[in-house]
């Protein structure tokens, strides 16, 4: 009998005398064992020793898991779909920008709860060298918090406090690469072969040159190319993102074993949702585009099983910023799931396309695709996040309206940067590649909606309309199935921060325009409804309250597109547990009519008044939520 089978058998036998939690862990491991071994052996040429290390590592991580978190797991296991409810509301924030430190975040948990948030995504907070950090996405130590934010103990304490308030904590796991300051990178630079083997090192530029023929660029302007010369090692190293972010070689099982252990270490410090950063990139092969290769799915499936065995209350959130056909496979199958949640990146980008074109046909098409997916697939929906908006739209669909990729991207960027007549958006472009014409876009929701320009013009009427657009987009966000995430600051309509232009460490990365410090003084105004902050804050709170109150917003609802016979008004239908919702969103700057003809008696959820769902007039940039109940 092979060694690892012996050890699995031994542990199973021991189960009688061990603590019930340990027995439960062994049961979970056993349930996955055959598949795990099969996949691991397939990937790593039946490397018995590495697999046995992997299993022992899982056991070790489980042993180290604090009791409080094991109890948390047990609670979650009772309600496996806990993250799918209509009461879920997320917020994404940089701890530094929000409150300076982790302790600062803890001291503001009342505010976070006041926002109705029960899922908190803390942006990268692990050790990362200043000026070479890519906003924290170049990690020098996966077990150390950036000292200016606090310590690992602070993280565990914050997460404990969050849990006691019913808030789950999400953290990035930057797994594709390490910082060039990571211990492994330092040893690789010093010439240790074992550590060079954890990355992609080449003696000269010939192999890198071959890769460059087929691998696209992530940051064509700010970090062109996929390789960097490492002077100290006298070799070339693969750096898909910035030159200081060295790609890890997951073809080396030690890398996979150690990185999985790092991930579980974070889970053992209270992280409930692991955001798998840049997931599609983690397997490289010459002659391919090094994105979404089949081995990536094997790795993610293995990580899913690892998490299910060690910390079953934990979720994997895949960051797959790719075209739609590449995204959905990361859910895996219903029987062999990979990620619990994925970003709904295409709907997000299609939403901003619709803001710029005032034409809902693409969005209808996109939502139709999403609505056709199994309801077990949970999307994380958002309007803005810390990254740029990339224009990964369905161009095959757009082509029938004469919209070609390159000119259309230019139109979107021109509109959203306010270059076109009639546009009040105030975005900035990001990483333009003049050869491909595929610049992306940055800016806060409020500034992209035109609030910044309207306030600058001191035009109160205009401000009102732009706030309405902002609120309508959030209503659209809350109408979608899945978990809605608010980008910190959006709840008070925070505007662009142009300060980064003067910062020597940030000036060349326009994503910093929407990463400004949270404005606590402005947040004070949230109680005053005559201000932008108050209008938006109370508006969003009301929408969230309605969403939580009505089962029709649950993930399990049936969803469909309602034909409005007006290309400027999007119609969505939802049905669940005797409730039917007709939601209408006017993306045009003019008042419009949704030519619908629904026979039931409806109530307008916003006013609470009865309203017919026939030829519904919707003011410019406004929306309607019409609800009827079947007894
Ligand atoms: C992800 C992050 C992005 C970062 C990149 C490299 O895409 O969202 O901010 O630059 O990974 O780690």
């Amino acid at each position: 009998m092979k060694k690892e089978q012996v050890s699995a058998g031994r542990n199973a036998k021991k189960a009688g005398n061990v603590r019930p939690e340990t027995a439960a862990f062994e049961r979970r491991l056993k349930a996955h064992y055959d598949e795990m071994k099969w996949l691991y052996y397939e990937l790593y040429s039946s490397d018995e020793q590495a697999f046995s290390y992997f299993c022992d590592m899982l056991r070790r991580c489980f042993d180290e898991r604090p009791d409080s978190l094991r109890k948390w797991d047990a609670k979650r296991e009772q309600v496996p779909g806990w993250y799918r409810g209509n009461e879920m509301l997320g917020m994404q924030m940089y701890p530094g920008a929000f409150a300076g430190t982790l302790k600062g975040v803890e001291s503001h948990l009342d505010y976070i709860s006041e926002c109705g948030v029960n899922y908190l995504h803390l942006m990268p907070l692990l050790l990362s060298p200043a000026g070479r950090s890519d906003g924290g996405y170049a990690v020098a130590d996966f077990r150390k918090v950036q000292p200016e934010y606090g310590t690992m103990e602070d993280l565990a304490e914050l997460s404990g406090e969050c849990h006691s308030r019913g808030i789950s904590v999400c953290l990035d796991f930057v797994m594709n690469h390490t910082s060039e300051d990571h211990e492994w990178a330092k040893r690789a630079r010093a010439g240790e072969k074992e550590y060079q083997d954890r990355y992609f090192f080449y003696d000269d530029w010939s192999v890198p040159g071959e890769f460059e023929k087929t691998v696209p660029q992530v940051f064509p302007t700010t970090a062109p190319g996929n390789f960097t010369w490492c002077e100290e090692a006298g070799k070339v190293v693969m750096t898909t993102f910035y030159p200081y972010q060295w790609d890890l070689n997951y073809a080396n099982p030690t890398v996979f074993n150690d990185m999985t252990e790092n991930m579980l270490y974070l889970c053992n410090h209270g992280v409930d949702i692991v955001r798998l950063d840049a997931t599609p990139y983690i397997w490289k092969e010459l002659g391919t585009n090094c994105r979404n290769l089949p081995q990536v799915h094997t790795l993610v499936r293995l990580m899913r099983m690892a998490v299910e065995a060690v910390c079953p209350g934990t979720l994997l959130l895949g960051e797959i910023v790719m075209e739609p056909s590449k995204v959905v496979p990361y859910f895996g199958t219903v029987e062999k799931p990979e990620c619990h949640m994925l970003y709904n990146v295409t709907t997000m980008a299609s939403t901003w396309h619709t803001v710029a074109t005032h034409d809902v046909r693409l969005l209808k098409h996109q939502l139709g695709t999403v609505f056709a997916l199994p309801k077990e697939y949970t999307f994380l929906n958002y309007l803005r996040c810390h990254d740029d908006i990339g224009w990964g739209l369905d161009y095959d669909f757009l082509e029938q309206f004469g919209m070609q990729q390159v000119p259309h991207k230019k139109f979107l960027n021109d509109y959203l940067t306010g270059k076109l007549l009639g546009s009040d958006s105030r975005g900035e472009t990001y990483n333009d590649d003049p050869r491909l014409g595929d610049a992306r876009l940055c800016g806060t929701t409020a500034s992209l909606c035109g609030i910044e320009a309207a306030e600058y013009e001191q035009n109160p009427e205009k401000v009102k309309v732009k706030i309405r657009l902002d609120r309508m987009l959030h209503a659209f966000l809350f109408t979608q199935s899945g978990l809605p995430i608010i980008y910190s600051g959006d709840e008070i309509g925070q505007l662009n921060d142009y300060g980064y232009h003067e910062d020597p460490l940030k000036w060349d990365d326009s994503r910093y325009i929407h990463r400004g410090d949270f404005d606590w003084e402005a947040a004070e105004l949230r109680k005053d409804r005559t201000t932008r902050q108050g209008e938006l804050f109370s508006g969003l709170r009301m929408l969230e309250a309605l969403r939580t109150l009505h089962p029709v917003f649950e993930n399990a609802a049936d969803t469909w597109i309602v034909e409005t016979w007006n290309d400027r008004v999007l119609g969505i239908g939802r049905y669940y547990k005797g409730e039917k919702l007709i939601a209408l969103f006017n993306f045009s700057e003019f008042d419009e009519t949704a030519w619908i003809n629904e026979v039931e008696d409806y109530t307008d959820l916003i006013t609470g008044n009865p309203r017919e769902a026939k030829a519904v007039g919707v003011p410019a940039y406004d929306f309607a939520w019409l609800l009827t109940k079947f007894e």
Side-chain angles (χ1 to χ4, degrees):
M1 208 188 286
K2 293 215 169 112
K3 208 174 18 182
E4 68 281 4
Q5 285 173 334
V6 174
S7 94
R10 195 176 50 222
N11 278 289
K13 260 193 227 131
K14 271 201 310 194
N17 349 335
V18 291
R19 295 175 66 188
E21 308 91 272
T22 312
F25 162 76
E26 291 297 343
R27 248 196 324 273
R28 294 193 297 261
L29 184 61
K30 203 164 165 237
H32 287 311
Y33 186 80
D34 287 344
E35 189 194 345
M36 227 179 216
K37 184 175 167 190
W38 181 273
L39 293 180
Y40 200 101
Y41 272 30
E42 191 187 22
L43 206 57
Y44 296 122
S45 324
S46 306
D47 187 333
E48 230 175 278
Q49 214 183 345
F51 181 63
S52 136
Y53 182 94
F54 181 72
C55 292
D56 288 345
M57 177 274 289
L58 297 184
R59 216 158 261 136
R60 186 164 65 241
C61 291
F62 177 75
D63 287 343
E64 285 163 6
R65 189 151 177 84
D67 267 340
S68 56
L69 291 175
R70 289 182 184 177
K71 287 202 183 102
W72 186 241
D73 288 334
K75 254 169 89 181
R76 292 249 150 111
E77 278 187 288
Q78 308 279 315
V79 199
W82 62 269
Y83 56 99
R84 297 197 177 124
N86 51 333
E87 76 293 350
M88 290 300 296
L89 178 68
M91 183 173 270
Q92 169 181 2
M93 62 171 59
Y94 280 97
F98 180 69
T101 61
L102 291 176
K103 286 237 177 292
V105 175
E106 197 177 328
S107 71
H108 285 297
L109 282 179
D110 281 345
Y111 175 80
I112 291 167
S113 294
E114 190 190 327
C115 293
V117 166
N118 44 28
Y119 169 115
L120 185 61
H121 178 182
L122 299 169
M123 297 297 293
L125 46 80
L126 299 177
L127 190 71
S128 186
R132 290 175 292 127
S133 85
D134 183 21
Y137 284 97
V139 177
D141 189 338
F142 291 94
R143 295 173 182 228
K144 194 164 179 209
V145 169
Q146 180 76 16
E148 68 204 71
Y149 299 148
T151 62
M152 259 305 157
E153 288 67 44
D154 293 345
L155 177 64
E157 191 188 302
L158 170 60
S159 122
E161 193 48 40
C162 283
H163 290 172
S164 71
R165 292 167 177 252
I167 302 173
S168 305
V169 177
C170 169
L171 195 72
D172 284 83
F173 181 53
V174 187
M175 62 184 300
N176 176 67
H177 42 258
T178 71
S179 153
E180 60 178 350
D181 282 14
H182 190 280
E183 179 65 19
W184 300 346
K186 284 185 184 158
R187 298 180 75 162
R189 200 182 295 115
E192 286 188 52
K193 166 122 180 27
E194 188 195 332
Y195 289 90
Q196 291 188 351
D197 287 348
R198 294 186 180 215
Y199 300 94
F200 295 88
F201 270 88
Y202 300 97
D203 292 336
D204 57 41
W205 287 91
S206 51
V207 179
E210 286 304 305
F211 270 108
E212 292 291 14
K213 287 182 187 160
T214 54
V215 183
Q217 306 196 29
V218 180
F219 299 138
T221 315
T222 47
N226 289 292
F227 293 86
T228 302
W229 173 251
C230 174
E231 190 59 47
E232 297 93 319
K235 291 190 179 190
V236 182
V237 61
M238 185 187 281
T239 55
T240 303
F241 291 83
Y242 280 105
Y244 50 76
Q245 290 166 316
W246 291 11
D247 288 71
L248 285 166
N249 185 355
Y250 279 88
N252 176 347
T254 308
V255 167
F256 179 61
N257 287 351
D258 287 355
M259 287 301 283
T260 306
E261 187 164 2
N262 282 333
M263 174 182 79
L264 295 171
Y265 177 87
L266 296 172
C267 297
N268 281 349
H269 284 76
V271 173
D272 302 286
I273 300 102
V274 181
R275 177 185 179 275
L276 299 177
D277 181 59
T279 324
Y281 299 81
I282 59 177
W283 193 274
K284 318 289 194 296
E285 217 151 275
L286 199 60
T288 72
N289 66 357
C290 296
R291 313 276 195 266
N292 307 299
L293 297 178
Q295 292 85 345
V296 176
H297 290 277
T298 307
L299 288 167
V300 176
R301 175 73 190 137
L302 282 167
M303 292 170 93
R304 169 78 181 243
M305 290 190 279
V307 157
E308 282 185 3
V310 175
C311 42
T314 310
L315 305 181
L316 297 184
L317 162 65
E319 192 228 357
I320 323 293
V321 182
M322 294 279 152
E323 66 264 34
S325 63
K326 298 289 188 298
V327 175
V328 173
Y330 284 91
F331 281 120
T333 62
V334 175
E335 293 76 33
K336 296 193 189 310
E338 295 176 25
C339 294
H340 295 81
M341 280 195 295
L342 298 176
Y343 284 89
N344 197 347
V345 58
T346 314
T347 300
M348 181 279 293
S350 304
T351 305
W352 290 107
H353 151 99
T354 312
V355 170
T357 57
H358 312 294
D359 180 335
V360 303
R361 286 176 295 181
L362 175 70
L363 202 48
K364 262 162 81 175
H365 168 73
Q366 162 61 17
L367 290 171
T369 316
V370 174
F371 293 168
L373 294 171
K375 287 176 190 150
E376 286 85 354
Y377 291 179
T378 308
F379 278 108
L380 189 147
N381 298 307
Y382 62 114
L383 293 172
R384 292 295 298 112
C385 70
H386 68 295
D387 275 333
D388 48 292
I389 305 169
W391 298 117
L393 307 175
D394 189 337
Y395 292 100
D396 289 340
F397 178 81
L398 286 176
E399 214 165 299
Q400 62 182 304
F401 312 118
M403 295 183 200
Q404 307 285 337
Q405 188 162 168
V406 172
H408 187 57
K409 283 177 176 170
K410 181 169 175 355
F411 163 78
L412 294 172
N413 287 326
D414 284 351
Y415 184 93
L416 291 164
T417 53
K419 281 193 192 141
L420 296 184
L421 200 65
S423 162
D424 294 304
S425 286
R426 291 293 177 267
E428 282 186 4
T429 51
Y430 176 70
N431 261 287
D432 190 10
D433 185 341
R435 290 167 315 151
L436 301 176
D438 63 353
R440 288 114 75 174
L441 189 98
C442 297
T444 68
T445 304
S447 290
L448 293 180
C449 283
I451 299 176
E452 179 183 328
E455 285 185 355
Y456 181 79
E457 289 172 24
Q458 302 188 352
N459 181 341
E461 261 321 295
K462 202 178 204 179
V463 173
K464 239 164 103 184
V465 176
K466 303 301 181 185
I467 289 179
R468 214 152 67 201
L469 170 59
D470 190 319
R471 201 176 70 129
M472 182 272 275
L473 293 180
H474 280 94
F476 169 55
L477 177 69
F478 295 147
T479 305
Q480 297 170 57
S481 294
L483 171 61
I485 302 281
I486 294 179
Y487 188 57
S488 169
D490 276 3
E491 74 280 16
I492 53 165
Q494 199 153 306
L495 306 178
N496 286 343
D497 175 10
Y498 297 99
Y500 86 94
H501 286 291
E502 319 300 332
D503 186 330
L505 300 183
K506 297 179 177 164
W507 67 272
D508 65 347
D509 193 332
S510 51
R511 289 178 298 178
Y512 286 103
I513 197 174
H514 52 248
R515 295 178 181 175
D517 285 349
F518 186 71
D519 187 344
W520 284 102
E521 241 170 71
E524 277 306 305
L525 300 174
R526 70 186 180 277
K527 289 163 192 144
D528 176 356
R529 292 221 37 186
T530 64
T531 64
R532 175 224 312 158
Q533 290 79 5
E535 179 77 359
L536 274 168
F537 193 87
S538 58
L540 299 198
R541 288 301 297 130
M542 180 178 71
L543 296 176
E544 290 153 18
L546 287 169
R547 187 176 198 270
T548 306
L549 189 68
H550 291 284
V552 75
F553 288 103
E554 280 193 25
N555 224 39
D558 288 331
T559 46
W560 65 97
I561 295 294
V562 175
E563 183 52 75
T564 63
W565 304 103
N566 182 337
D567 286 343
R568 287 159 191 262
V569 184
L570 175 72
I572 298 177
R574 298 184 64 90
Y575 179 86
Y576 193 58
K577 289 194 175 159
E579 287 190 340
K580 177 177 168 189
L581 177 86
I582 301 291
L584 302 167
F585 306 93
N586 180 3
F587 278 84
S588 130
E589 63 222 292
F590 303 107
D591 300 349
E592 298 281 345
T593 302
W595 299 106
I596 59 170
N597 190 17
E598 304 280 331
V599 292
E600 302 90 359
D601 295 327
Y602 284 84
T603 304
D604 184 322
L605 280 186
I606 307 301
T607 62
N609 295 330
R611 189 168 176 192
E612 282 211 319
K614 295 174 193 291
V616 181
V618 189
Y621 291 142
D622 211 343
F623 74 100
W625 272 355
L626 306 179
L627 186 91
T628 188
K629 287 190 188 193
F630 298 91
E631 295 312 325

